[in-house]
Amino acid sequence: MDVFILIGSFMLLLMFRVPIALSLILSSLVTGIYLGIDLAALVQRMVGGLNSFSLLAIPFFVLAGEIMNEGGISRRLINLSNVLIGKIRGGLAMVNVLASTFFGGISGSAIADTSSVGSVLIPMMKKQGYDSDYAVSVTISSSAQGVMIPPSHNMIIYSTAAGGVSVGALFMGGLLPGLLLGLGLMILTYMIAVKRNYPKGEVVKREEIPRIVWEGLLGLFTAVIIIGGIVSGFFTATESAAIGTLYAFIITFFVYRDIPFTRMGVILKRTFNTLSMVLFLIAASSSFGWLLALLKVPSMVSNSLISISPNDIVTILLIVVILLMLGMIMDMAPLILIATPILLPVAMNVGMDPVHFGVLMILCLSIGLVTPPVGTVLFVGSAIGRISIEKVSKAMIPFYIAMIIVLLIVAFVPAFVLLLPEIFGQ
């Protein structure tokens, strides 16, 4: 009955469109009252959930992404990508994927990627003769891929929810899957472009190439500072994020100089809005997760999944299916916080490393971002492309297939995820 009250009240509140963070808190309070728990203990759990040094990296990552996005980094990354692969047939679609790969290494946000890169490339692709549903599909699928490319604040959220898994190991673990997904999407876009006879990209003037490459690499060096500092052990994740933010500030306002310094107020406001949501979710999920552990929900779920089949492969497939289904109806950050305490013990029981499971989870949930009915990136891309979600969802079918193939590789080839963390000693 107590588990039913906790889960049932949470789902009921969601059905009435109560914000997720408030739903977590209210369901925890109702369950706490039913169990006779001192409510001060729940508040202490909420505060304790935020008392983590690694969480300090999130504000810096978000701020760095906002600064670079506002300062025109997306346009420069698009230009850099165009220099590299724009001359191929369907080159503008491949530029879209490569630009999202680059941008993911700076912002770590699929929505920010779709908004910035998509607002430039979707109209450009439509103007050059690409179908609208194809342009949007390429944009949103590649934006979801960008979530895997480090640095990613979602991996920091998972690290916290999983009890302190190495952020550096998660960053390195997500790199190869992210690049593989990007490569797979580029191959797919080229095949479709050849089949539909989409145009080749415009040739960049030779005298402009050095400037384009230089400006693009300056922006990408933000990610190099963050990832390199963590992998080398010279900085913690928080210190690397802070230094990367300082570098982004200098490049944007003193090198690019596309925007006045007065825009910093707008950037800070957007950063605070994002952080308020993220940190409120973390606090709310801490009390909810504590009650889940208290009521032994993880062990119940583990026993239930194992009872379906003792085969490890079947159990992993069930985990993947559960995460994909949850990703269709809920956003990534709250799902990481809610599902990790439940499914991580199950995954570890079948021999999965916490880093492997974390990368697998984030990949599953990134697919959920572009899947109806509640895929936030799908909605943003459809709005930018001015096309219905139904048409985009139909056009996304080959992209879903490519993403699922990469997902299965990640799920059943652990070495593909764990290779780089082992090489760099994370």
Side-chain angles (χ1 to χ4, degrees):
M1 186 62 185
D2 42 18
V3 175
F4 175 77
I5 290 175
L6 179 63
I7 305 296
S9 60
F10 174 66
M11 298 304 297
L12 182 64
L13 289 167
L14 288 182
M15 290 174 60
F16 282 100
R17 298 182 179 274
V18 177
I20 293 176
L22 288 178
S23 298
L24 290 169
I25 292 175
L26 291 174
S27 58
S28 299
L29 288 174
V30 170
T31 307
I33 293 172
Y34 175 79
L35 295 174
I37 296 174
D38 186 358
L39 298 185
L42 293 178
V43 176
Q44 290 174 351
R45 292 289 172 177
M46 292 177 63
V47 175
L50 296 175
N51 188 22
S52 172
F53 180 74
S54 61
L55 287 180
L56 285 174
I58 295 179
F60 292 116
F61 282 140
V62 174
L63 180 57
E66 291 287 353
I67 290 173
M68 298 299 282
N69 185 28
E70 183 75 13
I73 183 62
S74 58
R75 173 173 55 82
R76 289 175 169 85
L77 293 179
I78 289 170
N79 292 337
L80 174 61
S81 303
N82 193 40
V83 168
L84 297 175
I85 57 174
K87 293 182 288 186
I88 304 172
R89 180 164 300 282
L92 200 54
M94 300 179 73
V95 165
N96 198 327
V97 178
L98 187 58
S100 293
T101 303
F102 289 155
F103 195 85
I106 296 174
S107 72
S109 169
I111 294 178
D113 191 342
T114 300
S115 301
S116 57
V117 175
S119 61
V120 176
L121 280 178
I122 291 177
M124 191 181 299
M125 291 177 70
K126 291 166 66 175
K127 185 177 180 180
Q128 291 194 12
Y130 292 83
D131 296 317
S132 297
D133 55 358
Y134 175 77
V136 174
S137 298
V138 171
T139 302
I140 63 176
S141 58
S142 60
S143 297
Q145 165 254 341
V147 175
M148 302 294 297
I149 304 294
S152 170
H153 64 267
N154 288 299
M155 289 185 176
I156 298 176
I157 294 174
Y158 168 77
S159 172
T160 302
V165 177
S166 169
V167 174
L170 289 168
F171 282 0
M172 288 293 97
L175 184 57
L176 286 181
L179 294 177
L180 176 64
L181 182 53
L183 178 61
L185 292 175
M186 291 178 71
I187 293 172
L188 177 62
T189 56
Y190 176 74
M191 293 170 61
I192 295 175
V194 171
K195 181 179 180 181
R196 300 184 184 180
N197 197 30
Y198 286 139
K200 295 182 179 180
E202 297 179 358
V203 178
V204 181
K205 295 180 180 178
R206 182 170 297 180
E207 59 269 20
E208 294 182 358
I209 292 177
R211 176 186 58 82
I212 292 173
V213 172
W214 173 248
E215 290 184 349
L217 291 179
L218 280 177
L220 284 176
F221 198 68
T222 308
V224 174
I225 291 174
I226 295 173
I227 299 170
I230 295 174
V231 172
S232 65
F234 198 74
F235 302 128
T236 65
T238 302
E239 292 166 347
S240 291
I243 294 171
T245 302
L246 178 62
Y247 175 81
F249 177 83
I250 294 172
I251 290 297
T252 298
F253 289 102
F254 297 99
V255 179
Y256 290 162
R257 293 186 291 183
D258 284 356
I259 57 173
F261 186 73
T262 53
R263 292 293 296 174
M264 194 63 196
V266 177
I267 293 172
L268 289 174
K269 182 179 179 180
R270 286 207 302 261
T271 301
F272 291 148
N273 287 340
T274 302
L275 289 176
S276 62
M277 293 185 291
V278 172
L279 297 180
F280 190 22
L281 271 172
I282 293 174
S285 65
S286 296
S287 60
F288 190 85
W290 178 65
L291 287 173
L292 287 174
L294 183 67
L295 300 177
K296 300 181 180 179
V297 173
S299 60
M300 293 168 58
V301 173
S302 178
N303 293 333
S304 298
L305 290 178
I306 293 174
S307 67
I308 294 175
S309 173
N311 190 298
D312 291 351
I313 295 177
V314 174
T315 302
I316 293 173
L317 282 174
L318 287 171
I319 292 173
V320 168
V321 171
I322 290 171
L323 289 173
L324 287 174
M325 293 179 65
L326 290 174
M328 294 180 184
I329 59 175
M330 196 179 296
D331 208 359
M332 180 179 286
L335 264 179
I336 293 173
L337 294 165
I338 296 170
T340 298
I342 298 175
L343 295 179
L344 178 57
V346 182
M348 294 180 67
N349 281 340
V350 296
M352 290 186 72
D353 186 271
V355 173
H356 180 202
F357 174 74
V359 172
L360 177 65
M361 167 182 272
I362 290 174
L363 179 54
C364 288
L365 300 185
S366 70
I367 296 175
L369 293 174
V370 297
T371 309
V374 193
T376 52
V377 174
L378 177 64
F379 279 86
V380 173
S382 299
I384 294 173
R386 298 181 180 179
I387 185 173
S388 69
I389 293 173
E390 291 78 11
K391 289 184 178 180
V392 177
S393 299
K394 184 178 179 180
M396 276 290 296
I397 291 175
F399 295 90
Y400 289 140
I401 294 173
M403 297 172 89
I404 293 298
I405 291 173
V406 175
L407 173 61
L408 292 176
I409 294 174
V410 171
F412 295 108
V413 187
F416 192 68
V417 175
L418 301 176
L419 176 64
L420 289 183
E422 291 176 358
I423 290 176
F424 290 99
Q426 297 297 315

